[in-house]
Amino acid sequence: MTQSPPAGIDIADMTWPPPPYRSPVPPVTGTDGVRRFDGITYATTPGYRPRLLDVQVPAGEGPFPAVVWIHGGGWLDGDRRYPPPTVPADLLHGAVLGAGLALVSIDYRHSLEAPFPAQLHDVKAAIRYVRTFADALGIDPDRIGVWGESAGGHLAALAGLVGPGTPQGAALEGTQGVGSGETGVRAVVDWYGVSDLVTLAEHPMPAMPGTDFPDPYEALLGATVAARPDLARAASPMTHAEGSNPPPFLLVHGTHDGLVPYSQSEALTEALRNAGGEVVLQPVEGADHIFLGSRDIPAIVEGGAAFLARHLGAGA
């Protein structure tokens, strides 16, 4: 028995194979007026889970500038829906929306699924997707920034520095999802991200009792830094800062970070300044990774949102 296609689908418009992404579905609008698009597939690759993103758009008339949020987790773990445990999701999301910015939260392939540069390819694919469907999402495609923490901070920094015209840029852009298009961003907030994997290999990983956690840097590269120094350099934002035309950066880092030393953000700050970039380095005195030990986390979050709102022209 022949079945009819689902209501609303014109088989004359269907193609095979289908594109490696799905168009946005209509949003759900909350009582607060915020429009939410949940679980959009922005990229697919045979053999891998679909990469998803969520979009929250402030109440009011758009289009709005947008922030792409990139989660941490050592490139091995993490989820677009959950900031680090020190930062409540309501705090982060509320600060971004309250600053007049749309929030795009993305997943990406973890390192044991696919080594670098798969993670950056996915970030770039998400940016291309948002630009392609900007009208449907209520986003201004010319005003996009990135904000990430830990592994996500590292990827945010790379997203701000790597482009088709930069050294190795074509290979690092990737062709996932919407296979081509502009991926540049206008501002970057990097919370305690890695900037130089080569020097970081000399910093011993702290012990993590009760866990069977792979070495995150070896998992990211698919080899040790010593075995693949070329890939370690390509995966380091420091490599791409030199000679670049960087967008404005805000680097926020705990001075007692035992996982990613504060010196990583100091080194990237110097490299960005040498490249003529605008960069603010904000130390969080006495704080460990994910700002553990800090009492100023709400102010840190609000500061990140304000930085992005200023450089993306929120309210303009």
Side-chain angles (χ1 to χ4, degrees), residues 11-313:
I11 59 173
D13 294 332
M14 295 176 67
T15 61
W16 190 264
Y21 53 84
R22 291 185 178 273
S23 301
V25 297
V28 174
T29 303
T31 56
D32 55 2
V34 173
R35 299 188 300 283
R36 293 175 170 84
F37 303 80
D38 291 330
I40 299 174
T41 299
Y42 73 85
T44 60
T45 307
Y48 296 94
R49 62 191 166 100
R51 267 82 79 209
L52 306 180
L53 59 80
D54 299 334
V55 181
Q56 299 181 61
V57 183
E61 294 296 323
F64 294 92
V67 177
V68 176
W69 167 259
I70 311 171
H71 70 77
W75 308 282
L76 286 157
D77 199 2
D79 184 309
R80 71 187 187 279
R81 298 168 295 177
Y82 307 117
T86 48
V87 181
D90 287 347
L91 173 63
L92 177 68
H93 297 178
V96 172
L97 294 166
L101 304 165
L103 177 64
V104 180
S105 304
I106 70 169
D107 283 333
Y108 53 87
R109 283 171 289 177
H110 294 153
S111 56
L112 293 184
E113 295 178 273
F116 186 85
Q119 297 71 33
L120 181 57
H121 286 173
D122 289 349
V123 171
K124 293 285 190 173
I127 295 170
R128 287 193 295 268
Y129 184 95
V130 170
R131 284 208 164 97
T132 298
F133 292 101
D135 285 348
L137 297 171
I139 286 173
D140 184 340
D142 296 323
R143 294 189 290 165
I144 296 176
V146 287
W147 186 351
E149 63 96 13
S150 196
H154 160 262
L155 294 171
L158 284 174
L161 294 170
V162 171
T166 63
Q168 307 177 66
L172 296 176
E173 284 285 299
T175 57
Q176 296 291 311
V178 177
S180 63
E182 173 61 36
T183 62
V185 298
R186 286 181 52 172
V188 177
V189 176
D190 171 0
W191 280 356
Y192 45 85
V194 170
S195 65
D196 187 346
L197 272 78
V198 176
T199 61
L200 197 59
E202 303 169 1
H203 176 75
M205 284 287 296
M208 302 180 71
T211 64
D212 184 19
F213 206 73
D215 181 290
Y217 311 117
E218 185 172 340
L220 178 68
L221 302 177
T224 64
V225 171
R228 290 297 311 272
D230 56 333
L231 188 58
R233 285 190 292 271
S236 298
M238 287 282 294
T239 300
H240 307 282
E242 182 178 353
S244 67
N245 181 26
F249 269 70
L250 171 63
L251 306 176
V252 190
H253 209 134
T255 58
H256 289 184
D257 194 323
L259 188 60
V260 179
Y262 178 72
S263 58
Q264 288 278 303
S265 285
E266 289 182 309
L268 183 56
T269 296
E270 182 178 2
L272 291 168
R273 286 176 177 161
N274 289 341
E278 176 187 341
V279 55
V280 176
L281 174 58
Q282 179 181 338
V284 183
E285 295 297 336
D288 201 340
H289 205 61
I290 67 170
F291 304 136
L292 280 170
S294 172
R295 298 180 182 275
D296 296 328
I297 289 175
I300 293 169
V301 173
E302 293 289 346
F307 177 88
L308 290 163
R310 183 166 66 254
H311 289 288
L312 298 179

